[in-house]
């Protein structure tokens, strides 16, 4: 099992940048697939990005070219670099982990563990 803690959220102007971090417990972090999701008030949890299985990366169309997911296995941490932020990026951002191979990376049901979330607010 793994425990996840997100950090790095905050208030940023449109066009600005933030880097979110997700610190994970566990000796076998490198074997976990990791994802980022976001949820705006009153909305469902939306897929953002994932590093999956053998380290392939995937992005939602809405963030591709602006966001980058990366990981530092030595630090048991996954990152989400967010550039060119837009008002519609405002949400609580969650990291998630899957300790099995396969599955669909964009589905919340594919993940076994979730962090508590960190708020990202983009202002005009």
């Amino acid at each position: 099992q793994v425990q996840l803690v997100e950090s790095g959220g905050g208030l940023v102007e449109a066009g600005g940048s933030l880097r979110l971090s997700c610190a994970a417990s566990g000796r076998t972090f490198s074997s976990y697939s990791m994802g980022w999701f976001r949820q705006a008030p009153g909305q469902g949890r939306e897929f953002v990005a994932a590093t999956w299985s053998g380290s392939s990366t995937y992005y939602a169309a809405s963030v591709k070219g602006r966001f980058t997911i990366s990981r530092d296995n030595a630090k048991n941490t996954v990152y989400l670099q967010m550039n060119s932020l837009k008002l519609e990026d405002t949400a609580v951002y969650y990291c998630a982990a899957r300790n099995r191979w396969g599955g669909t990376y964009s589905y919340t049901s594919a993940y076994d563990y979730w962090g508590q979330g960190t708020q990202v607010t983009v202002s005009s």
Side-chain angles (χ1 to χ4, degrees):
Q1 66 177 35
V2 64
Q3 294 181 342
L4 307 173
V5 180
E6 303 98 333
S7 62
L11 177 65
V12 64
E13 294 182 2
S17 298
L18 284 174
R19 189 179 73 160
L20 306 183
S21 298
C22 176
S25 65
R27 292 198 308 164
T28 58
F29 173 78
S30 63
S31 68
Y32 285 74
S33 294
M34 303 293 296
W36 286 97
F37 289 74
R38 65 188 182 186
Q39 188 166 18
Q43 304 298 313
R45 196 160 294 188
E46 176 190 28
F47 169 73
V48 176
T51 175
W52 203 250
S53 296
S55 74
S56 297
T57 58
Y58 303 91
Y59 297 92
S62 59
V63 306
K64 189 174 183 180
R66 299 189 297 120
F67 292 9
T68 303
I69 188 170
S70 61
R71 64 195 300 163
D72 185 338
N73 290 333
K75 296 182 178 180
N76 281 3
T77 301
V78 63
Y79 304 95
L80 185 68
Q81 178 66 47
M82 306 186 295
N83 298 326
S84 301
L85 283 162
K86 304 175 180 179
L87 294 178
E88 53 264 41
D89 295 320
T90 295
V92 177
Y93 283 71
Y94 299 88
C95 67
R98 179 180 176 89
N99 64 357
R100 296 166 288 145
W101 288 76
T104 303
Y105 57 82
S106 61
Y107 289 180
T108 58
S109 60
Y111 296 84
D112 302 296
Y113 305 101
W114 293 85
Q116 295 299 307
T118 185
Q119 176 72 48
V120 172
T121 302
V122 183
S123 64
S124 61

